[in-house]
Amino acid sequence: MSAQKVYLSEMLYLLYFTVMFGARAAGLYEGMLLYNITLVIGILLFVIKVTMTEHTVFEYLVMALLLGMSLLVYKNTGEKGLLLYMTMMLGMKGVSLQKIEKVGLTILGVCFPVLVFLSVTGIITDIAYPADGRLLPGQMLRRSLGYPYFNTMFTTYVVLVALIMLVCGYQEKKQLILSSIFFFIAGVYLYIYSCSNTGMIVLTVFLMMNIVMQSMKISASPKSRAGSIEDKHRGLGIFIRILLMSVYPLGMVASILCPLLIGGESFEILDKLFHNRFNYANYYLTHEPVTLFGTRFAQAPNENYLIDSSFLYSFLQLGVVPCVVLTTLMMATICKLIKENRRIELAVVVSFCVLGLSDPFFYNLSYKNIMMLFAGETLWAWLAEIEDTLIKRSELSNSSLKKEIVKALSAKIFLLKSGRKEFYYTNSRIYAVWGEIGEFLKSVFATKGIRKLVIMIGVSIIIFAFAYYSGRANVEGIVDTIPEWEFFRSAMSRGLWSGMAVMLIVNFRQNVL
C-alpha cells in the first residue's frame, strides 16, 4: 500500500472548510445559535491555519489589507459574507484545490439528499407557502426541503452538481450526456417541489455549458483536468476567449446600468421576466448612495424590496472599493482558467454568473460560491508571481534602498512551525474510495452503471404508477390544486426513493459478492 502525505496546516484548512461549508449544507442560517457557534469555530480554525503556514511579510500585508477592507464593510453594513469569503481564499495557501472540492462534495453529497429525504417524507418540517405553479398548472405549496428558501435549496443542488462534475473531471461523451440527463431529471423532481425558475434555468445552463466545453478538443496543461483526452487544438479560440472574459463584466452592466438606462415598455417586460427584480434594482440605485465601503440601507417600502443580484450587491451594498477588488480578482481568475484550459471550471463560472443576475450569493453569507475557491488559487499564484518579479527586478537595480525594501517584504514568517508536521495514511479501502471518488462517480454512468440506472428508473416508475393510480380518486382532471399536487409529489417521491434504494442494494451486493 502506498502512503499519502498531508500537512497539519492543510488538515486545519480542510477542517475549517468542513465547518463553514457544512453549516450551510446542513441548512443552518444567520440568526441560529448553532450557526453563530460554527462561525466562531471557523474563524478560529482559519487563524490557526494561517499561523501554521509560512508567509512572507508581503503576503501578510496583502492579507491585512483584504481582511481590513472586509471588516470595514462589516462595520458599515453589518454584512459578514465578504469577510467569510476572504477567509476562504486567504487560507488556501498550500492546500490542494482538488482536496477541497472532494471535501465539499462529501459534505454536500451527504447533507443535501438527507435533508431532501427527511423533508419529503415529513420527518422534518420545511418552509412552505401557497403560490402559483409558474410553469406547472394550478396552485401548489412551494417547498424549501430543509433549506431557508426555495431558491436556496435549488442553487445548493446546482453547487452539488458542479462539485460532482469538477471531481469527476473530463468524461467520455456518452457518460457526460447520460450524467447530465440524470442530473436534469433530478432537477425536475426538485422543481416540482420548489417551483424555482432561477434554479432550473441555471442548472440547464451549467449542464449545457459543461457538455459544450467538454466536447471541445482539450489541450492538456499542467492544471487541466483533461487527462488522456486527445489533444488536437491548442486552447480556446479567440472568439470563445472574448466571450468568456466578457461574462462577468456583462453581468455588472446588466445589473447596474440596465435598470437605470432602460425605460418604458422594455423595462416593464424585463421587470416581469425577472419577477420585479428590475424595479427593485432601480429603487436601490436611485434611493441609496454609492459609497466606498458600503452602507446600511434605509427602510424599504416593503419586505419584497431586496437586492437579488450579486453584481449590484457588490457595487451598492459592499461599496465601490470592494467591488473593484472583487471584479479584478474574478477577471484574473477567468483569465487564468482560460489560459490553463480548465473547461469545467469555466462552465461553473458562466452558469454562476447567470445565477448572480438574480441571486446575491456571490458575496453574502451563503458560503456556496465555489468560484471563490478558484479565485483563492489565482490570488496565491498571483502573489507568488509578483514577489518573484520584485526580487528579480531588485537584483538588477542599483538602488540599495529598493533592495532592502524588497528583502524586507520577502522575509518569511512562520509563527507555528508545527504546521509542517506530516501525517501519512495508507490507501485502505475508505481512503482509496475517497481518493478515487471521481473515477467512482464516472463508473456510475459507465456500461454497468447504465444497467443500475435502468433498474432505478424502472423501479421508480413502477412504484410511482402503483402509488398514483391506487389513489387516483384524489385527483379530478389534471393535477392543479394544493391537495392534488401534494398527493402527486408523495407518489413521485415514493417511486424515486424506492428506485434509489434498490439501486444502492444492487450496487452493494455486486461490490461485496
Side-chain angles (χ1 to χ4, degrees):
M1 290 187 210
S2 62
Q4 302 294 321
K5 180 174 69 175
V6 61
Y7 290 104
L8 179 60
S9 60
E10 189 175 22
M11 291 175 62
L12 257 294
Y13 183 85
L14 295 177
L15 181 59
Y16 149 84
F17 187 77
T18 298
V19 171
M20 302 294 283
F21 191 73
R24 299 301 295 187
L28 302 183
Y29 54 89
E30 188 176 17
M32 299 176 68
L33 176 60
L34 185 57
Y35 181 65
N36 292 336
I37 292 172
T38 62
L39 289 183
V40 174
I41 295 172
I43 295 297
L44 287 174
L45 288 171
F46 164 74
V47 172
I48 297 171
K49 193 277 172 186
V50 170
T51 59
M52 284 188 171
T53 305
E54 184 180 79
H55 290 286
T56 63
V57 173
F58 174 70
E59 289 171 349
Y60 267 114
L61 287 174
V62 172
M63 286 193 288
L65 287 172
L66 292 176
L67 290 173
M69 177 187 73
S70 305
L71 287 169
L72 186 56
V73 168
Y74 173 60
K75 174 181 176 293
N76 292 342
T77 66
E79 298 288 315
K80 298 186 281 285
L82 182 61
L83 179 61
L84 298 188
Y85 276 120
M86 285 300 163
T87 62
M88 177 194 282
M89 289 195 308
L90 296 176
M92 281 184 65
K93 185 179 182 182
V95 184
S96 165
L97 176 61
Q98 283 69 37
K99 286 181 182 177
I100 301 172
E101 290 169 349
K102 287 180 181 179
V103 168
L105 175 56
T106 304
I107 295 166
L108 203 52
V110 172
C111 291
F112 187 81
V114 167
L115 275 180
V116 170
F117 176 78
L118 294 176
S119 298
V120 299
T121 54
I123 296 175
I124 63 173
T125 303
D126 61 329
I127 298 170
Y129 77 84
D132 66 270
R134 297 194 174 188
L135 298 180
L136 301 172
Q139 292 280 313
M140 59 170 56
L141 290 176
R142 294 189 70 185
R143 302 272 299 275
S144 68
L145 301 184
Y147 287 91
Y149 193 63
F150 324 104
N151 285 348
T152 303
M153 181 276 295
F154 211 117
T155 54
T156 302
Y157 173 67
V158 174
V159 174
L160 173 60
V161 174
L163 285 170
I164 290 173
M165 293 300 190
L166 286 166
V167 172
C168 281
Y170 289 99
Q171 303 176 58
E172 296 296 331
K173 194 168 185 178
K174 289 182 180 178
Q175 284 183 324
L176 179 59
I177 293 174
L178 181 63
S179 61
S180 299
I181 291 172
F182 174 80
F183 292 128
F184 182 81
I185 292 172
V188 172
Y189 169 77
L190 296 174
Y191 181 83
I192 291 174
Y193 273 95
S194 66
C195 298
S196 174
N197 289 346
T198 299
M200 199 68 207
I201 290 169
V202 174
L203 175 66
T204 304
V205 169
F206 172 69
L207 293 175
M208 291 180 65
M209 277 296 302
N210 192 39
I211 291 173
V212 170
M213 297 297 283
Q214 289 201 42
S215 296
M216 296 177 182
K217 297 299 180 182
I218 306 299
S219 174
S221 70
K223 291 289 187 178
S224 175
R225 300 172 192 255
S228 61
I229 300 294
E230 186 181 4
D231 179 15
K232 287 189 178 180
H233 292 282
R234 293 187 177 181
L236 297 160
I238 297 296
F239 180 68
I240 300 297
R241 289 172 183 245
I242 293 172
L243 284 178
L244 290 170
M245 286 296 295
S246 64
V247 169
Y248 197 91
L250 285 175
M252 295 292 291
V253 171
S255 300
I256 298 170
L257 295 181
C258 288
L260 291 174
L261 300 179
I262 297 175
E265 188 176 348
S266 298
F267 183 93
E268 297 298 326
I269 293 172
L270 288 170
D271 189 47
K272 186 176 181 180
L273 182 65
F274 286 97
H275 299 286
N276 298 320
R277 288 184 175 92
F278 253 52
N279 184 38
Y280 301 152
N282 179 272
Y283 170 82
Y284 282 105
L285 285 166
T286 54
H287 287 76
E288 295 295 341
V290 176
T291 59
L292 291 178
F293 294 97
T295 183
R296 293 178 188 266
F297 293 156
Q299 180 98 19
N302 59 59
E303 61 183 13
N304 293 325
Y305 278 71
L306 298 169
I307 290 184
D308 270 342
S309 165
S310 294
F311 303 100
L312 182 58
Y313 177 87
S314 68
F315 174 71
L316 207 56
Q317 180 83 75
L318 302 182
V320 174
V321 174
C323 180
V324 170
V325 171
L326 293 168
T327 300
T328 303
L329 184 58
M330 289 309 305
M331 293 301 294
T333 300
I334 295 170
C335 185
K336 183 173 183 287
L337 295 177
I338 292 172
K339 184 179 179 181
E340 295 174 354
N341 281 311
R342 293 164 66 175
R343 311 296 179 87
I344 304 174
E345 285 91 337
L346 288 167
V348 172
V349 169
V350 172
S351 57
F352 275 31
C353 283
V354 173
L355 177 57
L357 293 171
S358 56
D359 193 312
F361 84 108
F362 276 12
Y363 311 116
N364 67 7
L365 271 179
S366 67
Y367 206 81
K368 62 188 177 188
N369 179 12
I370 57 177
M371 290 195 303
M372 297 302 283
L373 293 174
F374 311 152
E377 186 185 47
T378 300
L379 176 66
W380 286 111
W382 205 5
L383 292 180
E385 289 176 8
I386 292 172
E387 283 192 83
D388 287 341
T389 302
L390 289 175
I391 291 171
K392 288 177 182 177
R393 288 183 178 178
S394 69
E395 291 173 350
L396 299 174
S397 174
N398 295 322
S399 172
S400 59
L401 178 61
K402 185 176 181 179
K403 289 183 178 181
E404 288 299 320
I405 292 174
V406 172
K407 183 180 178 181
L409 289 174
S410 58
K412 299 185 184 301
I413 300 175
F414 208 156
L415 297 176
L416 291 178
K417 294 187 178 181
S418 57
R420 279 181 176 165
K421 187 174 182 181
E422 298 174 351
F423 291 87
Y424 293 86
Y425 58 88
T426 57
N427 283 335
S428 61
R429 182 169 180 79
I430 184 169
Y431 289 117
V433 170
W434 189 78
E436 299 299 326
I437 189 171
E439 295 304 315
F440 169 75
L441 291 170
K442 284 185 183 180
S443 70
V444 174
F445 300 101
T447 304
K448 292 183 180 180
I450 293 174
R451 295 172 190 168
K452 298 172 190 174
L453 289 174
V454 169
I455 292 172
M456 186 198 84
I457 293 170
V459 171
S460 297
I461 292 174
I462 292 170
I463 299 296
F464 166 72
F466 178 78
Y468 184 79
Y469 283 100
S470 64
R472 190 72 174 81
N474 295 317
V475 180
E476 296 181 7
I478 64 170
V479 177
D480 60 358
T481 65
I482 290 177
E484 289 174 346
W485 272 116
E486 288 304 295
F487 165 72
F488 179 86
R489 288 167 169 173
S490 176
M492 178 180 63
S493 291
R494 273 182 265 179
L496 177 67
W497 292 100
S498 298
M500 289 182 65
V502 170
M503 186 183 76
L504 290 173
I505 291 170
V506 170
N507 186 70
F508 176 77
R509 286 176 61 85
Q510 286 182 352
N511 289 337
V512 173
L513 301 178

